[in-house]
Amino acid sequence: GQQLNQSPQSMFIQEGEDVSMNCTSSSIFNTWLWYKQDPGEGPVLLIALYKAGELTSNGRLTAQFGITRKDSFLNISASIPSDVGIYFCAGPWAGNMLTFGGGTRLMVKP
Amino acid sequence: GAVVSQHPSWVICKSGTSVKIECRSLDFQATTMFWYRQFPKQSLMLMATSNEGSKATYEQGVEKDKFLINHASLTLSTLTVTSAHPEDSSFYICSAPGLAVTDTQYFGPGTRLTVL
């Protein structure tokens, strides 16, 4: 499938700091999705983006769909301990299948 | 919102036995469901697409005789790991396409399989 390159692979930050992660692709996507996975759980959808340039917020989370449609970023403001987890970007391909980025593991120090 | 459940949430079995994992869409119908496998600290790897009323579609490298998929109804798909071995130990997650939110998938909570 299509490859999504997600960075950074991991982050260890202090509580209260802002976080930024991004995904890039060699192909154009019409949709970008951001999921969070808590340990031992399935991924939960955070934000869905459908339009190039779109900026969407969900509480302290903000995600943008890149103008080129080949990238997206996710920002988390004022991180808290419960933000700990793995964040995945994803995009649909070949119908309704999804391809995933490698994930960003976020660790927050109280 | 769309809810997907999985059962069991974890299972420990002896090598050589078969294990069945169920995936249910609780408040919507799903003609298609997806089965993923996830190793520690890695991303999700699509194993197969489960199709209601027809055969599953397996990704390259996934043994269809090893991982039997049955989409018995519009709300239930099952994955059976046959003759399980320790290397089959993994986190198995199912998902179903979202209806209200386009192009998304809703994931089950996952099943942790440990083969002794």
Side-chain angles (χ1 to χ4, degrees), chain A residues 60-72:
Chain A
R60 293 178 295 106
L61 278 61
T62 302
Q64 184 159 27
F65 193 146
I67 290 292
T68 64
R69 291 161 61 192
K70 293 183 177 181
D71 64 315
S72 176

Side-chain angles (χ1 to χ4, degrees), chain A residues 5-65:
Chain A
N5 300 305
Q6 187 171 348
S7 65
Q9 288 186 332
S10 63
M11 304 179 73
F12 189 31
I13 63 170
Q14 191 78 35
E15 182 178 0
E17 290 183 353
D18 296 343
V19 172
S20 185
M21 60 192 78
N22 69 84
C23 265
T24 60
S25 170
S26 57
S27 302
I28 289 174
F29 278 83
N30 293 318
T31 301
W32 281 95
L33 307 171
W34 286 94
Y35 286 87
K36 182 193 178 193
Q37 185 178 28
D38 290 328
E41 299 288 334
V44 174
L45 181 67
L46 298 174
I47 293 177
L49 302 163
Y50 298 107
K51 187 178 177 182
E54 178 182 354
L55 186 71
T56 298
S57 293
N58 178 6
R60 293 178 295 106
L61 278 61
T62 302
Q64 184 159 27
F65 193 146

Side-chain angles (χ1 to χ4, degrees), chain A residues 93-98, chain B residues 2-4 23-26 28-36 46 48-59 69-78 94-99 104-108:
Chain A
W93 67 280
N96 54 8
M97 288 194 279
L98 287 182
Chain B
V3 178
V4 176
C23 178
R24 293 181 185 272
S25 56
L26 296 186
F28 66 104
Q29 294 181 333
T31 56
T32 301
M33 291 183 177
F34 301 95
W35 285 97
Y36 295 84
L46 180 66
T49 302
S50 174
N51 303 299
E52 190 269 337
S54 63
K55 292 182 180 180
T57 305
Y58 290 83
E59 294 301 300
I69 291 173
N70 181 26
H71 201 130
S73 72
L74 288 173
T75 59
L76 173 64
S77 175
T78 60
C94 69
S95 72
L99 297 176
T104 62
Q105 289 181 20
Y106 292 92
F107 289 84

Side-chain angles (χ1 to χ4, degrees), chain B residues 3 19 27 32-33 48 50 56 58 63 76 89 98 101 103 115:
Chain B
V3 178
V19 174
D27 51 357
T32 301
M33 291 183 177
S50 174
Y58 290 83
E63 300 175 60
L76 173 64
S89 299
V101 186
D103 286 340
V115 184

